[in-house]
Amino acid sequence: METKLVVKDQLDEAVAALKAGELVAFPTETVYGLGADGLNPNAVQKIFQAKGRPQDNPLILHIEGVDGLAALTDGQVPVTAQRLAEAFWPGPLTVVVKAREHIPAAVRAGLDTVAVRAPDHSVAQALIRQLGRPIAAPSANMSGRPSPTTADAVWEDLQGRVGFIVDGGPTRVGLESTVVDCTQEPVVLLRPGGLSLEMVASVVGEVREPSGEGPARAPGMKYRHYAPKAPVIFVDGIGPDRAGAVLDRLRRRFANGRPESRHLAVIAPDGFPEVEESLGPDDLSAANRLFSAIRHLDHGNPDAIVIFWESEKGLGLAVKNRILKASSERVQDG
Ligand code: TXA
Ligand code: MG
């Protein structure tokens, strides 16, 4: 299949492709999505094939705004979902509600619930409006790879597997939406993301975090995720003052028995030593830069990518979650 890159004000061909049941990759404010007509089972099935995505991992339906939620919900829209959507849509928040029967089983991965969000991006909104139906879309990466925050990153993963990639420039948030299960009271945080837990709690009060015994996380969270080719080492909770010693130790270990010096590519916030890709000054900049930093450093074929991160505040919780999922090793004690 030939992949065509299109600019964001020439959407006619992309809309025609969606109407014909084909796939279109497009920007949202979080990450790029791989979209299909969300009410066409054959179109939705193509998403799983193109990404190599496990069939038991359900998709998010993207709609224009809160007015569209009731049509996808079986019974009443839960008060929590209604309040959250009114407060934060369009934006990086996904609510899980009981699904209306007409939503294809492939979208829900056979569950009786459906995940819905209204993206805050003019291209995504224009595609939904012109298709006139919800767009089902996961992140537009090959399954298991870091989510794409630029059209180039989509191209790297999906060239030849999707007909159109709409280039809307780099995404604003940089990691995926926060997923909240509103079928239970109190609501459950299924995936931390681009809307902070503090913001969710400010509207609904109590938010439960799934524990080992509690309700299952979003099905997708059980898979290995966000992984580049190089192994990722997460250095958790160690500040700039002790970072040099940790890197020396890791380097000695990687050099084990081999004379060549090892290339450890470092991703960390401002102020850390030996940083090749900075996460910037705070949680917002870290969320924005993490995935692109991982992809960029991976192109240099390092022996390992070492990521330093400490905070769980604001978007820090989601940043930490994504680093944990991408890493094969976690170092906690300097
Ligand atoms: O920001 C985002 O959420 C991006 C953009 C494109 O909108 N999309 C995205 O989709 O990240 P994806 O497929 O990569 O992640 C969706 C997550 C998965 O962890 C999935 O298991 C969960 O949402 N999910 C979807 N439907 C669900 C449901 N009915 N119940 C529980 N979790 C669900
Ligand atoms: Mg994804």
Side-chain angles (χ1 to χ4, degrees):
M1 177 189 298
E2 202 193 320
T3 300
K4 204 165 161 182
L5 257 181
V6 295
V7 293
K8 62 179 192 291
D9 40 16
Q10 289 175 7
L11 297 179
D12 292 356
E13 276 185 306
V15 172
L18 287 172
K19 286 185 175 162
E22 300 299 332
L23 303 183
V24 172
F26 62 95
T28 79
E29 83 282 27
T30 58
V31 300
Y32 276 71
L34 178 61
D37 177 343
L39 300 181
N40 176 341
N42 293 325
V44 169
Q45 200 49 50
K46 291 177 187 167
I47 292 175
F48 290 87
Q49 283 150 13
K51 277 188 62 122
R53 182 181 178 99
Q55 292 284 347
D56 65 352
N57 192 2
L59 305 173
I60 296 171
L61 285 183
H62 296 72
I63 62 176
E64 272 193 86
V66 62
D67 293 346
L69 184 55
L72 301 174
T73 309
D74 185 47
Q76 294 268 59
V77 175
V79 179
T80 50
Q82 184 72 25
R83 286 208 190 121
L84 286 168
E86 278 170 7
F88 301 119
W89 282 1
L93 167 75
T94 296
V95 296
V96 172
V97 296
K98 289 275 177 217
R100 274 269 182 100
E101 219 170 292
H102 72 296
I103 298 167
V107 169
R108 303 183 260 136
L111 301 172
D112 62 359
T113 56
V114 64
V116 186
R117 92 172 185 102
D120 185 16
H121 194 290
S122 59
V123 170
Q125 289 168 355
L127 290 174
I128 296 163
R129 192 168 51 244
Q130 289 178 50
L131 177 65
R133 289 149 77 106
I135 293 181
S139 49
N141 48 282
M142 283 304 282
S143 197
R145 299 257 306 145
S147 296
T149 58
T150 61
D152 277 355
V154 179
W155 181 269
E156 180 183 12
D157 276 21
L158 294 180
Q159 190 240 116
R161 294 173 165 269
V162 58
F164 294 92
I165 302 172
V166 183
D167 188 351
T171 60
R172 176 171 59 80
V173 177
L175 46 72
E176 308 88 337
S177 62
T178 300
V179 182
V180 177
D181 181 356
C182 296
T183 66
Q184 316 186 43
E185 208 39 278
V187 301
V188 180
L189 178 71
L190 296 178
R191 176 177 75 178
L195 182 73
S196 72
L197 179 59
E198 295 90 328
M199 295 288 275
V200 175
S202 75
V203 169
V204 293
E206 194 184 347
V207 182
R208 254 193 313 155
E209 289 186 69
S211 64
E213 311 100 70
R217 285 174 186 264
M221 298 310 280
K222 70 174 182 273
Y223 295 104
R224 181 163 158 77
H225 260 79
Y226 315 118
K229 288 182 273 139
V232 174
I233 300 173
F234 174 26
V235 186
D236 180 6
I238 289 172
D241 48 328
R242 285 155 70 214
V246 171
L247 286 170
D248 286 344
R249 219 180 56 212
L250 286 173
R251 200 169 277 112
R252 276 198 301 279
R253 166 144 67 77
F254 269 80
N256 188 24
R258 287 181 288 188
E260 329 89 272
S261 75
R262 303 281 94 189
H263 177 196
L264 301 183
V266 177
I267 300 175
D270 289 346
F272 279 72
E274 298 185 45
V275 173
E276 281 183 57
E277 286 278 338
S278 172
L279 293 174
D282 57 27
D283 59 319
L284 287 182
S285 58
N288 186 263
R289 299 180 196 178
L290 177 68
F291 285 139
S292 67
I294 292 174
R295 277 187 185 258
H296 184 228
L297 289 186
D298 202 33
H299 292 154
N301 294 313
D303 293 290
I305 295 174
V306 182
I307 310 181
F308 288 86
W309 186 252
E310 296 185 88
S311 166
E312 293 190 352
K313 291 216 181 75
L315 299 199
L317 186 67
V319 169
K320 183 172 176 178
N321 170 273
R322 302 307 190 270
I323 300 171
L324 268 173
K325 297 261 158 201
S327 59
S328 50
E329 183 182 341
R330 180 179 183 178
V331 175
Q332 280 182 289
D333 185 24

